[in-house]
Amino acid sequence: MVSDDRIEIRRTLGVNILDSNSTSTQNRAPEIRRFQQGATSNPAVGSTVIFDYDVCDPDNDGLTLDFYYGDGQSDVGLPHVCGTGQRSHAYTRSGTFSASVRAQDSRGAVANQSASVQISETNYGNDFTAQFSWSPGNPMARENVNF
């Protein structure tokens, strides 16, 4: 600005305040590298479904994980450090459910990921056993046996 033969210079400076453990004030969101149904095959009502996950924070901030199973049940506020883990859940009814994990770091950044889970009414695997009772307990040759 010029006024009365004087020059006035104005300059605006930006200031970044850095955490001593960080090189940037930018908080990056946690990374959910995997969230999926584990080795549970043909899960049925009442059987345990395993969810495998791998979650890290690129800034090495502390993490809290929330798991939502899609049936109204959840496990929330679970502390986590970078790496893999498993959660298990038993569904009480059949159907297709959208399970999800929400990761929040200690500075508020959030990431979400979901996985679809199909729960059948009955497990149709090869794990059936049959039990029989009969009489007489020690049948002889040509004797009628009742089951």
Side-chain angles (χ1 to χ4, degrees), residues 110-130:
V110 174
N112 295 285
Q113 190 168 335
S114 62
S116 182
V117 181
Q118 178 68 43
I119 305 298
S120 65
E121 192 64 39
T122 305
N123 185 343
Y124 295 105
N126 295 325
D127 56 355
F128 292 106
T129 58

Side-chain angles (χ1 to χ4, degrees), residues 27-31 56-59 105 109-111:
N27 183 24
R28 295 175 291 175
E31 297 171 351
C56 281
D57 186 80
D59 303 316
D105 72 18
V110 174

Side-chain angles (χ1 to χ4, degrees), residues 31-36 99-103 111-115:
E31 297 171 351
I32 301 174
R33 299 184 287 210
R34 184 179 70 235
F35 179 66
Q36 64 190 25
S100 63
V101 61
R102 177 182 185 271
N112 295 285
Q113 190 168 335
S114 62

Side-chain angles (χ1 to χ4, degrees), residues 80-98:
H80 180 70
V81 294
C82 181
T84 62
Q86 292 185 325
R87 294 299 302 167
S88 62
H89 181 67
Y91 288 86
T92 59
R93 64 183 190 278
S94 62
T96 301
F97 301 92
S98 179

Side-chain angles (χ1 to χ4, degrees), residues 38-105:
T40 313
S41 63
N42 303 319
V45 171
S47 64
T48 300
V49 177
I50 304 293
F51 294 97
D52 295 325
Y53 61 90
D54 185 359
V55 180
C56 281
D57 186 80
D59 303 316
N60 293 317
D61 294 331
L63 293 168
T64 301
L65 301 182
D66 299 333
F67 294 89
Y68 302 95
Y69 300 107
D71 62 352
Q73 300 296 310
S74 61
D75 292 320
V76 297
L78 305 172
H80 180 70
V81 294
C82 181
T84 62
Q86 292 185 325
R87 294 299 302 167
S88 62
H89 181 67
Y91 288 86
T92 59
R93 64 183 190 278
S94 62
T96 301
F97 301 92
S98 179
S100 63
V101 61
R102 177 182 185 271
Q104 181 171 357
D105 72 18

